[in-house]
Amino acid sequence: EELEELNTKKNQLIALLSHDLKNPIGMLGQTLDLVDKDAFEEGELELILKNLRNQSYHLSGMLNNTLNWVLAELQDKAVETQNVSLHRFTNEMKEGMMAQALVKKQTIESATIGEDKTLEIEASEIRIILKNLLDNAIKFTPVGGKIEFDMITSPEAITWKILNEGKPIPENELATLFEFKVKTTFGTMREKGTGIGLPLCKKIADRLELDLSYIRTEEGRNSFHLTKKLN
């Protein structure tokens, strides 16, 4: 039983590493294809190439975060925390995802509601979750669409919200949204997904005792919430 549990954990962690690599590498390939086809104006091209460079730094950091999580899980180590400014932390996440959004001519709007706090949080693991949620928002938002990435702070909790336009998640999939079940999905530019990102995010959130949830808003947008309680 212990061997089977370890093997399952190993497979899930390998899937997490592969998943985090797949989207950025695929987006880089799509961007270079568009460059070859002269699909960008001169000003757009310079901006996208600049953001791709920033994204490469962001991706390197994210892979380090994911690898550290994998090693911590395999070795059963305690999760490390970092002292961060929440406003700066959230803005860095947004800036790191801009290159992917620009390829689809999307905008990421960010708002911080409540006072900034400097806290000890599980920064590496929270980055993994938020990156995956933003990846999904970019994938399923139409070309030229808008994504909202907000952070709300209060004395009781910190909540990050990712809202995007696009098709709703089918009712028959909501009950198993965070369960491990490989299923092929396609984004608005035929970006292929495997359906394992959300279950892996849920696994990390549960270990950290964070709440990860989904709702369809009254305005017809998909909305994912990640909440860390402070008390």
Side-chain angles (χ1 to χ4, degrees):
E1 288 178 359
E2 288 178 3
L3 183 60
E4 185 176 343
E5 183 181 349
L6 181 61
N7 193 51
T8 299
K9 182 184 289 188
K10 178 200 70 176
N11 290 338
Q12 290 175 351
L13 296 174
I14 290 173
L16 176 58
L17 276 172
S18 302
H19 184 269
D20 274 9
L21 277 169
K22 178 177 63 66
N23 283 346
I25 291 174
M27 188 61 69
L28 177 60
Q30 285 183 350
T31 304
L32 294 176
D33 285 342
L34 292 171
V35 170
D36 285 342
K37 295 173 184 176
D38 293 325
F40 299 115
E41 302 288 337
E42 185 175 344
E44 285 182 327
L45 180 58
E46 290 175 0
L47 182 60
I48 285 173
L49 291 177
K50 177 182 176 183
N51 277 285
L52 280 175
R53 182 184 63 188
N54 293 337
Q55 189 192 27
S56 71
Y57 299 143
H58 178 69
L59 175 59
S60 177
M62 289 303 304
L63 287 177
N64 283 334
N65 294 337
T66 306
L67 183 58
N68 288 337
W69 166 259
V70 168
L71 294 174
E73 279 285 277
L74 289 176
Q75 297 170 11
D76 232 1
K77 290 168 56 179
V79 173
E80 296 182 1
T81 60
Q82 298 175 36
N83 198 40
V84 300
S85 156
L86 295 177
H87 284 191
R88 182 182 300 172
F89 174 86
T90 302
N91 189 59
E92 286 174 354
M93 285 299 311
K94 172 195 168 185
E95 294 300 320
M97 302 300 294
M98 284 301 299
Q100 286 180 231
L102 284 171
V103 171
K104 296 180 71 172
K105 301 185 185 300
Q106 297 167 343
T107 58
I108 301 178
E109 296 184 1
S110 184
T112 50
I113 303 165
E115 294 183 5
D116 189 15
K117 296 176 184 285
T118 300
L119 295 176
E120 287 277 340
I121 63 170
E122 305 87 347
S124 295
E125 288 74 21
I126 291 173
R127 285 190 184 100
I128 294 172
I129 297 172
L130 294 177
K131 176 190 174 297
N132 275 280
L133 296 179
L134 287 165
D135 271 340
N136 279 351
I138 291 168
K139 184 194 306 181
F140 294 111
T141 296
V143 173
K146 181 178 71 173
I147 297 161
E148 291 184 29
F149 176 42
D150 300 334
M151 184 193 69
I152 304 165
T153 61
S154 72
E156 294 78 29
I158 314 158
T159 297
W160 288 272
K161 296 170 62 176
I162 293 95
L163 296 94
N164 69 285
E165 308 163 6
K167 294 180 180 178
I169 296 172
E171 288 285 339
N172 63 335
E173 294 182 12
L174 291 177
T176 59
L177 187 61
F178 296 113
E179 293 181 8
F180 277 96
K181 183 181 178 182
V182 176
K183 54 183 179 292
T184 301
T185 58
F186 292 95
T188 52
M189 287 180 64
R190 301 298 293 171
E191 308 99 313
K192 189 175 180 180
T194 60
I196 64 172
L198 288 177
L200 287 167
C201 287
K202 181 65 172 172
K203 176 182 173 63
I204 296 173
D206 286 348
R207 182 178 176 190
L208 302 181
E209 298 183 347
L210 307 178
D211 180 57
L212 176 59
S213 60
Y214 165 83
I215 61 168
R216 182 74 175 178
T217 70
E218 293 180 359
E219 297 80 16
R221 293 183 295 172
N222 295 309
S223 179
F224 284 90
H225 299 184
L226 179 67
T227 300
K228 175 178 175 63
K229 294 179 181 177
L230 300 179
N231 296 319

